[in-house]
Amino acid sequence: MGGTRTYRVFFPASYAKSQKRYPVVYWFHAFESSQEVEAYSSAITAYLAGHDLLVVDSGPVETTGEYPQYFPELADQVDKTLRTVPDREHRGVTGYSAGGFMAFFLASKYPDLLSSASNFMGPTEYSVGPKEFDVEFNAADFYADYDGVRTRLVTGSRDFIRFYHRLLNDEWIYAKGNHQTEQFDSGHGAPEVGKTLDFHMHAFADPLPKPAVFSHADPYPNFDIWGWEVTSDRRQPGYTVIENVSNSGFRSAVREWVPGGAAIPGVKLTIATPRSYVPASPHPVTILRLRDGKMERRVLKADDRGRLNIDLDGDDYEVGIGPEAQIAASGYDLPDAAWVTAGQPAHLRIKFWDKGAARSQTQAVRWESSDPGVKFDYPTSRLFGLGPGEAATLPLTITVAAPARPVVRIFAVVGTERLPVDVSVFPAGEHSTYKIADGRALPVFQHGTEKQEMTLGEGNGDGYAAPGENFAVLLPDGDGFRAAELFSTDACLDLTVRASDSWVNYDHTGASAKYTLATIRKECEPGRTVKMMARILLPHAPDHSVRYVPIEFPIWYRNH
């Protein structure tokens, strides 16, 4: 990476007297005190006295810039100079505090290089990506990146980051799978290192296979993942997102933030497949633009390396590769609600496309979820045949057990394909008064506890939301207000613009409170009622709380 970096290696007692090869755990550190370094170093040394393992200590970490991209070079250097087992199945990452965050981030960026990742009380949110246009990364939102990787989060009952660890665990336990967590009676630290190294040894003995279908979101404009290569001209904060990737195709977009940020169609990108094809051989590719259903058919020739190079922009696309029919599931709507409430039946309409080059056959769809709290009214449906570029919706009623988990993953099983659909879930919430900020100033809390006059939204400032107006929803808190993050499937609401209020100087965790700058779509008629769920964080460090409030109001007439 154009610079010199140092690392140190902890060797097992058997290394000097044997010729065997060893698995490797990479330990990442930040700027720990000498006492902290001595404590984890002693724990590692004691563990290696009885276990066949190499531990490589690297740092201090930097979450932006070149440092995260240095890991493949580090692993290659270690594999070339030490007797390692040089494959992903025998390679893991861990770290303490900021080093723990780095371990989880690297596992999301390089799941093709790692089989396990653990984290000793690391923050859950930092900025990542190129230094010139870094972007927020909240690990809880990126559970889909970790397919094929076993994860473990070590928490402390007295740790100042424990609230955010609970949020991450709530999401990963239900949506990710293969995630474990253990809480110790501890403040901020790295307790019982041996237990976590045991976790990695078990992961090496029983690694998860390469996923048949994977998803990945990357803050860097150019990256490789599972043999696929993505390049782009993006020079602004955001994520390149590829989802449900397999030999038969993928979904792609460049987004301002994950998961629900606006697409950035001005970005040009090229997605190259693995080297799976005979050079110069022709292959049909079908491209569907999801916002309007526009279909384009191309015949691409494999390059001299056996790859197909598919040129796209940053809009939201489904891409099918090959002459067969290719069924894709691309989200859902709710005809009689604006969100899914835990404990109540939810009537979803799941949208399917044929993104392939041939007509699909009528076939059964089986519904599954690894979450035992998800119940299906009917476990199967029938999807009638679709022509290339055609779409259809299937009704599905589910009930998600209370208490609410933030998201559940369900699968539409069509033939041999398991098509994931992620469904956000909310508690019933509590009713409250609220204010609509459409260009008017109100006392709003920022940075946790600092109250200041803020003008949010862009409109005529009358306290109502009209077509084309941008607004924030403010919930009362004492003698001020808190701007809310909004969630809804209502077609009249554009919720893709999100702002962050940093709490780093309040609770010192690196986290932030999010709020939405919503827009009423111009085509929506005044008088129509819109519904949304509002969420705010209430500060009480280190044990904050989350408040949910259902909101509904009529679209107002625009007064200039």
Side-chain angles (χ1 to χ4, degrees), residues 109 154 174 200 245 251 253 261 263 276 310 315 322-323 346 373 381 402 404 410 413 435 437 495 523 525-526:
K109 182 162 176 56
V154 175
Y174 291 110
H200 287 283
V245 185
R251 180 173 177 170
S276 304
I310 303 169
D315 220 330
S381 303
I410 62 176
V413 183
K435 297 284 187 182
L495 305 179
E523 63 269 21
E525 292 292 330

Side-chain angles (χ1 to χ4, degrees), residues 348-369:
L348 285 67
R349 293 188 303 201
I350 312 293
K351 190 166 189 178
F352 292 87
W353 295 84
D354 181 357
K355 64 179 182 181
R359 185 174 185 82
S360 67
Q361 298 180 341
T362 297
Q363 50 197 318
V365 177
R366 188 173 74 255
W367 303 102
E368 296 180 353
S369 178

Side-chain angles (χ1 to χ4, degrees), residues 277-283 285 299-304 306-309:
Y277 305 96
V278 176
S281 60
H283 300 272
V285 174
V299 176
L300 299 181
K301 287 187 177 182
D303 63 17
D304 56 5
R307 308 176 307 170
L308 298 180
N309 294 278

Side-chain angles (χ1 to χ4, degrees), residues 25 83 139 178 202 204 221 257 277 303-304 315 327 365 396 435 454 468 470 492 508:
V25 170
R83 293 198 312 275
N178 298 299
H202 292 313
F204 299 149
W257 52 274
Y277 305 96
D303 63 17
D304 56 5
D315 220 330
I327 298 299
V365 177
L396 175 67
K435 297 284 187 182
M454 290 188 66
N470 175 267
C492 280
H508 311 291

Side-chain angles (χ1 to χ4, degrees), residues 354-402:
D354 181 357
K355 64 179 182 181
R359 185 174 185 82
S360 67
Q361 298 180 341
T362 297
Q363 50 197 318
V365 177
R366 188 173 74 255
W367 303 102
E368 296 180 353
S369 178
S370 58
D371 186 336
V374 178
K375 304 299 181 186
F376 300 97
D377 272 18
Y378 296 98
T380 59
S381 303
R382 183 173 297 276
L383 181 63
F384 291 98
L386 298 172
E390 291 183 349
T393 59
L394 288 183
L396 175 67
T397 299
I398 66 171
T399 303
V400 181

